[in-house]
Amino acid sequence: ETLADAKGEVNIDNVSFRYVPDKKLIENFNLHAEPGKRIAIVGPTGCGKTTLVDLLLGLLKPQSGKITVDGRNIEENLPSWQKKIGYVPQFIYLLDDSIRENVAFGVLPEEIDDNRVWQVLEQAQIADFVRSLPGQLAEPMGELGSRLSGGQRQRIGIARALYAAPEILILDEATSALDLETERAFADALAKLKGALTILTIAHRPATVQMCDRVVRLVPAAGSSSARNETDVSGNTRE
């Protein structure tokens, strides 16, 4: 089995990371994400949540500890691991192009599978809106997605992240810029994915956190002079 055959079980084992030697950021962090579970990672601004995402994406390498997927260290084959991750950032970058090209981002136009585009639009709960457009998949989205609302842009971001059939979906503050009603619609779209893939979401908005099975809180380690030192302290199960 290769990392490309991952089923979505993620383990972060005693991971520590610092940008400079005298400033702790992530210290002995542990997290177990079972396949198909939805886990919210919460904490105050500046506690290292985005750094944790960068470690999961393989953009940063821990100074100690390891990150494994289905028991295999992701560093064995980072490109293979990264292909199995869907990533939805806080701000979705959209091309001044069609919905088709934006969902199948980076795929040659002649290689785009329209059936797959429709499938992920359904999963992201935005297919009905796309069907209502005159051009449907060919409809232009405007510069930076100017013809879409914030919630619609985020759901296009989910569809894009799902197009390559990832085993793990990582959301980095993906709802922080949304109003409450749009956040709820976004959370409903994520709820439809329950059990289909592992979801790790960096979040602080209630609707997104509440749809998760577990909440992991990042807090400063006891006795540390650094406000950025963090430890996994919570694993509240929500069924």
Side-chain angles (χ1 to χ4, degrees):
E1 183 182 45
T2 68
L3 288 178
D5 300 317
K7 301 304 179 186
E9 182 175 16
V10 179
N11 275 292
I12 303 175
D13 297 320
N14 285 321
V15 163
S16 296
F17 180 85
R18 348 180 149 191
Y19 287 105
V20 291
D22 60 341
K23 287 187 179 293
K24 297 178 180 179
L25 182 56
I26 294 176
E27 188 78 3
N28 298 326
F29 185 86
N30 292 279
L31 175 66
H32 175 227
E34 297 177 350
K37 293 295 184 180
R38 301 166 299 178
I39 297 177
I41 300 171
V42 303
T45 299
C47 71
K49 298 188 299 292
T50 295
T51 298
L52 182 61
V53 169
D54 288 342
L55 287 163
L56 283 165
L57 294 173
L59 302 178
L60 296 175
K61 181 178 180 179
Q63 271 100 34
S64 61
K66 62 183 179 180
I67 299 173
T68 63
V69 55
D70 299 334
R72 301 280 301 279
N73 194 319
I74 66 171
E75 293 178 21
E76 292 179 23
N77 192 338
L78 274 176
S80 178
W81 160 242
Q82 290 164 342
K83 287 179 181 177
K84 302 308 293 183
I85 297 175
Y87 175 61
V88 183
Q90 180 175 351
F91 299 104
I92 305 296
Y93 175 77
L94 297 176
L95 304 172
D96 186 8
D97 211 328
S98 70
I99 288 177
R100 176 187 289 108
E101 275 74 19
N102 272 282
V103 171
F105 187 76
V107 179
L108 293 174
E110 62 272 17
E111 295 180 1
I112 295 175
D113 181 348
D114 281 3
N115 289 332
R116 178 62 182 162
V117 174
W118 280 116
Q119 183 180 29
V120 296
L121 289 172
E122 290 281 2
Q123 289 179 308
Q125 300 293 289
I126 196 171
D128 288 344
F129 167 75
V130 175
R131 289 191 187 97
S132 74
L133 300 173
Q136 297 199 1
L137 293 185
E139 185 77 10
M141 293 176 37
E143 185 175 359
L144 300 179
S146 59
R147 299 183 62 190
L148 303 179
S149 70
Q152 288 165 344
R153 286 194 292 271
Q154 291 301 93
R155 278 175 275 182
I156 290 291
I158 293 178
R160 174 189 289 174
L162 295 175
Y163 182 82
E167 301 291 347
I168 294 144
L169 184 65
I170 297 176
L171 301 101
D172 188 2
E173 299 279 12
T175 65
S176 62
L178 303 180
D179 59 49
L180 184 59
E181 183 177 353
T182 303
E183 181 200 9
R184 285 173 178 159
F186 183 83
D188 287 343
L190 294 179
K192 300 293 184 182
L193 299 172
K194 182 175 182 179
L197 70 171
T198 306
I199 299 176
L200 301 174
T201 177
I202 307 299
H204 65 274
R205 301 285 294 271
T208 305
V209 173
Q210 289 169 5
M211 68 90 189
C212 291
D213 302 301
R214 288 181 58 213
V215 178
V216 174
R217 300 187 182 279
L218 307 186
V219 297
S224 171
S225 61
S226 170
R228 298 171 65 103
N229 194 357
E230 67 193 20
T231 307
D232 176 11
V233 299
S234 176
N236 300 322
T237 300
R238 290 183 179 145
E239 296 297 339

